Amino acid sequence: MGRMLEQPIFGRRLRELRLERGLSQAALAGHEISTGYLSRLESGARPPTDRVVAYLAERLGVPASTFAEAETGSLAHVLARVTSSPDRSDEAAAALADALAAAGDHSPALRWQALWLLTRIRSRSGQYAEELDHLRELTRLADELDMPELRTRARTQTARCMRALGDNEQAYAFSAEAFRIARQHDLSTRDTATALLAVVSAEAEAGRLSDARAHADELCALVKDSSGTLPVEAAWAAATVRMRQGDLTGAQGLLEQALQDLDSHDDLMLWMRLRLAAASLYLQVEPARTEAASLRLQEAETALGLVGTPLHQQERSALRAHLAFQQGRTADARALCERLAEEELLLSFRDRVRLDVLRCQILATEGRPEEAVDTLRTLARKANESLNTDLAAEVWRTLAETLARLQNPGA
C-alpha cells in the first residue's frame, strides 16, 4: 500500500466520504466486511488491504484514488459540508472534531467558526461537559482574534453551558463579562440582548431575583421593537424570573403571550421549547394545571419528532412523569422515571434535581418515606451548594411535607 493510503489519512477520508453520502457504517460495510472492522479502519487502528480499498471504493461509487485526496478533508471543507447540511448528529460533530484535531492552529478564525458550530451541536444534544471543553478554546481564540462580537458570543455561550451544569457562580461571571463587552463596544441589539438574557438566567438560577427582575425588564425594553424571536425569548426569561419569585400569575401571563406571539414557522425549535416550558410551569403552580400541561405536551409532540434532540426527548419524558404523579398515576410516573434512569441523562442540573425529587415523592407515596427523606436532604444540600436558592427551597419544602407525613401517617 502506497503512502497515499496510509493511516490515519485513509480512515479520515473514508469517514468523510461515508458521511457525505449519508451512509451508516452498517450500510457501507454491507455483507463483505463487519462494522467493527470498518470502524477500526475509520479510526486509523487498522490498515486497509488492496481488496478492501477496491470494495469500499465500489460501495461509495468513487475511484480508489479518491481516498488519497486528503486535502478535501481539510477543516474548511468539512466545515462547509456540515454548515450546509441539516445533519447535526454525533457523526457530524465527530467529523468536525477530527478535522479540528488534524488542522492545528494555523487559522484561528476558521478554527473559531468550526468550534462555534461544534459547541452548538453539543449544546443541542445536552453534551454539556464536551461543549465546555470546546468553549474554553473558543473563548481563548476570541480573545486572540480580539473581536468584541466573538468575545461576547463565546462568553455568552459559556455562561449558558455553566448554568446547565449547575455552576451558577461561573455562569454569572461569564454572562456579566459578555454584557460588559457588548455595551462597551456598542454591539448589535442581538448580541447585547443575548448576553443580557444570559445574565438574567444566571441571576435567576443563583437566587438573585431582584437583580434578575430588573435586568429582565431592561431586556424586554431593549428588544421591544426588534423583529424575530428576541421579544419572545425576553418574555420567556421574564416569565421565568416571576415564577422564581412566586408570581405565578405574572409568569403565566408572560409565557402565554410568548406562546401566542411565536408562530411555528418562525422558529420550530423555540416553539417546541416554549411548550415544554409552559407544561413545566403549569405543573409547578398550586394546584397544578394538569389539563393545560397535558395540552402543551401534546402540542410539542409533532415538533419533537421533527427537530427534537435526545435532550428534548428526555425533557418531555421527565415532564410526563411529573404530570402522571400529579394526576395520581404513581405507577406510570415510576415507570417513566425508571426508563430515564436507564439512559445517559442529558438533562440540566435543575431538571435532574427535580426528577430526583419526584423519585423521592414516589418512594414516600409507596411506603418508603425514610429513604425519601435521606435523599431529599442530600438534594437540598446539593441545590444550596450550587446557589440554586429557589430550587433548594423547593426541595426543603418537599422534605418538610414528607417528614410531616412520616410523623402523622393518617394526615
Side-chain angles (χ1 to χ4, degrees):
M1 180 173 58
R3 179 176 177 79
M4 68 178 184
L5 294 184
E6 287 182 356
Q7 293 285 26
I9 294 175
F10 172 83
R12 285 201 298 266
R13 186 66 180 127
L14 173 61
R15 182 192 187 109
E16 291 161 7
L17 291 167
R18 177 175 64 79
L19 292 177
E20 282 179 357
R21 287 154 179 76
L23 297 174
S24 66
Q25 289 185 335
L28 177 58
H31 299 295
E32 294 294 323
I33 61 176
S34 69
T35 55
Y37 177 60
L38 180 61
S39 178
R40 289 191 291 275
L41 286 174
E42 289 189 349
S43 69
R46 289 287 298 274
T49 64
D50 291 342
R51 183 186 69 81
V52 166
V53 169
Y55 172 74
L56 292 173
E58 180 181 0
R59 299 278 293 176
L60 291 165
V62 298
S65 60
T66 305
F67 292 116
E69 297 171 7
E71 67 276 6
T72 63
S74 68
L75 179 57
H77 284 81
V78 174
L79 180 59
R81 283 202 305 275
V82 175
T83 303
S84 60
S85 168
D87 177 31
R88 293 292 186 269
S89 65
D90 289 343
E91 288 196 339
L96 268 176
D98 287 348
L100 280 163
D105 297 325
H106 65 277
S107 178
L110 184 64
R111 190 172 186 85
W112 194 95
Q113 187 178 357
L115 279 164
W116 177 255
L117 181 55
L118 188 53
T119 61
R120 304 304 288 170
I121 296 174
R122 300 295 194 201
S123 178
R124 284 169 58 113
S125 300
Q127 298 172 320
Y128 301 121
E130 293 84 350
E131 179 192 6
L132 184 58
D133 287 340
H134 301 315
L135 283 166
R136 290 193 177 101
E137 183 180 358
L138 199 68
T139 302
R140 179 186 64 78
L141 283 172
D143 291 344
E144 179 182 327
L145 292 164
D146 197 22
M147 296 176 64
E149 295 88 351
L150 303 190
R151 295 180 66 212
T152 296
R153 292 166 194 169
R155 285 164 171 79
T156 299
Q157 191 61 26
T158 301
R160 289 175 169 174
C161 183
M162 289 289 194
R163 182 166 57 85
L165 289 168
D167 190 343
N168 293 321
E169 187 174 350
Q170 285 297 306
Y172 176 73
F174 274 99
S175 62
E177 178 68 5
F179 186 46
R180 184 194 65 77
I181 294 170
R183 288 197 299 183
Q184 177 184 347
H185 294 277
D186 195 23
L187 298 187
S188 68
T189 297
R190 170 159 287 279
D191 277 323
T192 305
T194 304
L196 183 53
L197 182 63
V199 171
V200 172
S201 299
E203 288 173 336
E205 286 292 305
R208 301 171 57 173
L209 297 178
S210 58
D211 291 338
R213 178 73 172 257
H215 281 132
D217 292 344
E218 181 182 352
L219 174 63
C220 289
L222 177 64
V223 303
K224 67 178 181 179
D225 297 323
S226 299
S227 58
T229 63
L230 272 177
V232 172
E233 294 178 85
W236 182 5
T240 300
V241 174
R242 281 160 174 77
M243 182 171 68
R244 304 280 169 82
Q245 288 182 313
D247 180 10
L248 298 181
T249 301
Q252 288 182 72
L254 283 164
L255 197 51
E256 290 291 348
Q257 186 62 49
L259 288 163
Q260 181 179 328
D261 290 345
L262 183 68
D263 188 275
S264 61
H265 295 94
D266 296 333
D267 188 327
L268 185 58
M269 175 69 77
L270 180 58
W271 186 90
M272 175 195 71
R273 292 177 61 221
L274 275 173
R275 275 150 180 78
L276 295 177
S280 179
L281 172 61
Y282 297 149
L283 291 172
Q284 293 179 61
V285 300
E286 290 289 346
R289 296 178 57 191
T290 55
E291 290 187 10
S294 180
L295 175 61
R296 292 307 185 193
L297 285 174
Q298 290 173 18
E299 290 175 344
E301 283 297 328
T302 300
L304 273 163
L306 294 173
V307 298
T309 66
L311 168 61
H312 299 126
Q313 299 289 348
Q314 287 188 359
E315 289 174 344
R316 185 269 312 273
S317 295
L319 287 170
R320 286 177 59 197
H322 284 288
L323 175 62
F325 184 77
Q326 290 286 354
Q327 292 175 328
R329 298 184 288 112
T330 307
D332 291 340
R334 184 181 64 252
L336 285 163
C337 288
E338 289 173 350
R339 202 172 306 155
L340 281 166
E342 295 172 355
E343 302 177 16
E344 178 185 355
L345 277 187
L346 305 172
L347 298 173
S348 68
F349 175 81
R350 172 175 290 271
D351 286 342
R352 288 186 189 211
V353 171
R354 295 197 73 242
L355 184 62
D356 285 337
V357 169
L358 175 61
R359 292 190 179 108
C360 291
Q361 291 174 303
I362 294 171
L363 286 174
T365 302
E366 295 182 337
R368 298 160 63 187
E370 293 86 355
E371 184 177 345
V373 165
D374 289 342
T375 304
L376 284 168
R377 285 197 177 102
T378 301
L379 291 172
R381 286 193 291 268
K382 185 187 298 185
N384 275 331
E385 289 167 0
S386 67
L387 303 180
N388 278 270
T389 54
D390 67 300
L391 179 62
E394 180 182 336
V395 181
W396 286 120
R397 184 171 60 251
T398 304
L399 174 59
E401 293 169 354
T402 304
L403 284 170
R405 284 196 298 271
L406 182 60
Q407 294 168 0
N408 187 10

